[in-house]
Amino acid sequence: MILKFIKRMKGCEALKVLVVGGGGREHAIVWKISQSPNVKEIFCAPGNAGIKKIARCIDIPAEDIKTLADFAEKERMDLTVVGPEVPLVLGIVDEFEGRGLRIFGPSKAASQIEGSKVFAKKLMQKYNIPTADFRIFNNSADAINYIDEIGAPLVIKAEGLAAGKGVVVAREKGEAVSAVKSIMEEKVFGNAGSRVVIEEFLEGPEVTVLSFCDGKTCVPMVSSRDHKRAFDHDEGPNTGGMGAVSPASTYSMELAEIVEKQIIQKTVDAMAKEGIPFKGVLYTGLMLTNKGPRVLEYNCRFGDPETQVVLPRLETDLIDIMEACTDGTLDKMSIQWKEDRAVCVVLASKGYPGAYEKGKAIKGISEAERQGAIVFHAGTAEKNGMLVTSGGRVLGVAALGKDEEEARMKAYSAVSKIEFEGMHYRKDIGKVL
Ligand code: AMP
Ligand code: GLY
């Protein structure tokens, strides 16, 4: 501790940091960490072609937690930061901490808040945290009877992780019944669908609030808004997210205060009372209904693409905040944000969110950056020295502006410089509530 303090006074902490993951979210995390004067070297496993420019990419999959811990031990990593949910739910934090390695993220038990929708709903019910009314079912016959009884609209959710595809908003009874059949009988998400949550259908604008947590203190970040549907005007299938803005225009200061006290701090207190304190980033997905804000979901990590609009607005050194979260000293931190607005437009491959093509040459990134945008890579790779597509979501083009219109103009003028075969993107990011 004293040595760390002396090193920090000299501005030479010289940390080695490992970031786990390889999407747009992890590019934004690595990009922000690379601005810290206390960081000497950044590694990323597995990373992508954009991350490679600012970190050393290591070919270890994000889910291979034992090999990642071996690597962090051998390379004497000072801090590991975990992007995606799968390694967290598998227990990467317990594995690292068991070996005395420092890691930013929640334990396996605390990650259940995302890993099990049944756990999350029961927690909210027990601690009176506002959310949609719900019932839990462990067999399809009972679930279908219930649907028959109460009718549509309804929301059907597979209990476990389903890569963002486990939620069906059913406008009609038949749709709800087929969702239950495919989740519980055909087992399209495997064991993640052994139980389902059937929820009351809520209406209103959605907001994402990410919060830094150290187990007892939580500090909400600036708000953001994801755009989940594939096409303009919120049409088409759900995706991992086609773009984001920060702040969410519908989220007033007054609402933010209510949400912080009645939802986020209450959740962190509830987890501590259950004996599983939450450390890391808590993602709270909210719907602002006419009866007040309701929790739609929790995630145990940064959002993607929300991180690509939130971190560019962060003034404070991200590493300082992450160390405060792991050390339990978040109450001593003062976290500053830029007043600027941020917009991020996701460029996707033809066919996404269904089956998509890979290996298409990507052109125009330098020109896009010259428009003042930050181009975060998601599904990109290098093939014979050429930048090519390698995923459904390929790039996230983010820009800051003094207002949302300026940020949007900058982001879209940068997008117009980029090309790859089959590229598609939404033209209305920030225009729908
Ligand atoms: P989730 O992964 O739980 O956030 O759900 C994905 C999306 O489904 C959300 O962003 C909402 O658009 C929608 N959704 C989830 N729960 C509800 C609900 N109870 N009522 C209406 N829409 C919902
Ligand atoms: N953007 C939604 C998520 O990160 O889960």
Side-chain angles (χ1 to χ4, degrees):
M1 205 61 182
I2 292 171
L3 186 65
K4 193 175 126 190
F5 181 72
I6 295 169
K7 275 178 158 184
R8 177 148 296 189
M9 290 297 287
K10 291 185 184 160
C12 64
E13 208 174 4
L15 299 172
K16 280 172 89 171
V17 179
L18 169 65
V19 176
V20 175
R25 164 184 50 208
E26 287 75 23
H27 193 181
I29 294 170
V30 169
W31 170 83
K32 186 66 197 170
I33 289 177
S34 71
Q35 295 165 14
S36 170
N38 296 317
V39 171
K40 180 177 75 173
E41 214 175 350
I42 311 175
F43 297 80
C44 188
N48 61 34
I51 294 175
K52 208 168 138 189
K53 294 199 172 139
I54 46 175
R56 261 179 63 195
C57 289
I58 309 296
D59 194 14
I60 307 173
E63 298 79 30
D64 189 352
I65 61 183
K66 290 232 166 2
T67 310
L68 288 168
D70 291 344
F71 175 77
E73 221 165 23
K74 184 168 142 266
E75 290 288 334
R76 297 168 177 268
M77 223 48 74
D78 296 294
L79 180 69
T80 296
V81 177
V82 188
E85 62 278 15
V86 173
L88 291 166
V89 170
L90 287 174
I92 190 169
V93 169
D94 310 60
E95 176 72 31
F96 273 59
E97 286 181 347
R99 299 192 196 195
L101 295 164
R102 202 157 180 229
I103 185 161
F104 175 83
S107 65
K108 182 174 181 169
S111 301
Q112 283 182 91
I113 203 159
E114 173 168 4
S116 165
K117 291 198 190 287
V118 170
F119 171 89
K121 293 300 280 193
K122 285 187 172 166
L123 187 86
M124 288 186 266
Q125 190 174 46
K126 180 167 172 188
Y127 292 92
N128 238 333
I129 297 166
T131 186
D133 287 342
F134 68 100
R135 293 271 301 267
I136 298 162
F137 293 93
N138 55 20
N139 72 75
S140 61
D142 289 350
I144 292 167
N145 277 342
Y146 177 69
I147 294 167
D148 263 342
E149 215 177 280
I150 72 156
L154 279 175
V155 183
I156 316 291
K157 299 186 174 184
E159 174 182 10
L161 294 184
K165 296 182 188 133
V167 174
V168 175
V169 179
R171 306 259 166 191
E172 284 158 27
K173 241 171 162 176
E175 223 183 319
V177 170
S178 27
V180 166
K181 285 187 175 160
S182 69
I183 295 171
M184 302 191 91
E185 293 173 13
E186 291 153 36
K187 294 230 167 262
V188 289
F189 306 119
N191 281 342
S194 305
R195 291 195 283 185
V196 293
V197 174
I198 300 190
E199 262 186 26
E200 164 200 17
F201 171 78
L202 299 175
E203 280 178 289
E206 289 182 43
V207 179
T208 299
V209 185
L210 307 172
S211 308
F212 292 111
C213 304
D214 72 354
K216 44 185 198 301
T217 302
C218 70
V219 180
M221 304 182 210
V222 287
S223 68
S224 52
R225 162 91 170 97
D226 187 7
H227 293 60
K228 286 199 170 82
R229 299 295 190 122
F231 309 124
D232 285 6
H233 315 298
D234 276 342
E235 282 171 14
N238 260 335
T239 69
M242 293 299 289
V245 297
S246 175
S249 58
T250 46
Y251 197 61
S252 62
M253 297 267 277
E254 195 190 350
L255 256 171
E257 262 178 49
I258 295 173
V259 168
E260 180 172 358
K261 275 203 200 96
Q262 294 175 13
I263 295 182
I264 302 173
Q265 187 62 55
K266 233 166 143 180
T267 306
V268 172
D269 292 346
M271 293 292 278
K273 276 195 201 124
E274 292 293 306
I276 41 176
F278 190 96
K279 285 188 179 191
V281 171
L282 178 67
Y283 173 124
T284 311
L286 298 162
M287 194 168 264
L288 308 178
T289 74
N290 55 19
K291 292 188 191 142
R294 299 281 183 273
V295 177
L296 289 180
E297 64 163 344
Y298 294 116
N299 293 320
C300 60
R301 50 161 176 89
F302 279 106
D304 191 345
E306 290 94 327
T307 305
Q308 291 86 306
V309 284
V310 169
L311 290 187
R313 298 186 59 205
L314 178 62
E315 293 268 22
T316 310
D317 188 326
L318 181 59
I319 284 293
D320 286 349
I321 306 172
M322 289 176 161
E323 288 191 307
C325 290
T326 55
D327 296 349
T329 55
L330 192 57
D331 57 334
K332 312 263 180 331
M333 284 284 321
S334 153
I335 300 178
Q336 308 300 325
W337 298 93
K338 292 186 171 78
E339 276 301 318
D340 290 355
R341 293 343 200 194
V343 170
C344 174
V345 181
V346 169
L347 308 184
S349 295
K350 184 176 172 189
Y352 177 79
Y356 52 81
E357 300 172 326
K358 290 184 189 178
K360 306 293 177 196
I362 306 170
K363 294 193 199 115
I365 291 190
S366 310
E367 289 87 331
E369 286 168 341
R370 278 199 287 276
Q371 307 296 307
I374 316 163
V375 180
F376 292 119
H377 290 230
T380 66
E382 263 176 29
K383 202 166 122 194
N384 308 325
M386 207 169 61
L387 185 67
V388 297
T389 65
S390 71
R393 289 190 290 177
V394 177
L395 298 167
V397 180
L400 291 170
K402 62 179 185 313
D403 53 36
E404 203 176 281
E405 196 45 42
E406 186 183 287
R408 192 165 36 229
M409 295 274 288
K410 261 163 87 179
Y412 278 108
S413 82
V415 165
S416 72
K417 308 289 174 198
I418 300 177
E419 269 180 77
F420 56 86
E421 197 188 310
M423 171 172 120
H424 73 95
Y425 60 91
R426 278 182 60 163
K427 319 274 182 312
D428 64 347
I429 300 303
K431 286 196 173 162
V432 283
L433 292 182

